[in-house]
Amino acid sequence: MSTTPITTEDQPIEQAYSPDVTKTRQPEYPVHPLFLNRWSPRSYADRPVSEEVLYTVLEAARWAPSSSNQQPWRFYVAKEQAEHEVFQSFIKPRNKLWSVNAPVLILVASQNVKENGDPNGAHAFDTGAAWASIALQARLLGLSTRAIGGFDQAAARELLQVPANISLHAVIALGYRGDLDSLDPSFHEQEKPNTRRPLGESILPILVSGEGQSEQE
């Protein structure tokens, strides 16, 4: 494991990790605090997100890596009360308990065909990069995000009149983190940064020719 210290502009990087986060998260290697400190709360404060902040977050997604520069990501953004009500009609009940307090909801979608009409095999991969950009830019601005996979896609398609060439992925709650008291008690135990499996478990072996094969007699 690397022990070479990495520094931010004014302090060693390990000192920039949030104390609340390091109770449950310990990096194996000294990554930038942005990656460790970002997590997905369910509690949201009764505080609006300005249009400038919202569009700064979306601007970060605009510059995500993109295969052949197809930029397949698309966003349905609910800011107004009527728009929120549409979203809440297709978000599943358990997720409604907390997402109703988020000032902004973003349905992340992608165009699944290229500009020439051919299938785009990278549309979901690239849009995942855009979602990561949203999450990290939001964190830099002091906001929280949480992705919601629990929503009725068929209902969302019907209500938003989503065309067939658009795939739906997740609803993102965006806002400023609230107090624990603002969250349904059934979520209190989960309202903390989670951990990750060891890095080595995510790295798969590469079979080199001849390895793992029995010797020929």
Side-chain angles (χ1 to χ4, degrees), residues 44-48 101 103 176-179 182:
Y44 286 89
D46 183 15
R47 177 183 173 187
N101 295 322
Y176 296 95
R177 189 180 173 197
D179 297 329
S182 67

Side-chain angles (χ1 to χ4, degrees), residues 186-198:
S186 64
F187 293 112
H188 284 193
E189 183 62 28
Q190 299 169 275
E191 190 69 353
K192 59 187 177 183
N194 53 21
T195 187
R196 294 290 189 270
R197 62 172 173 265

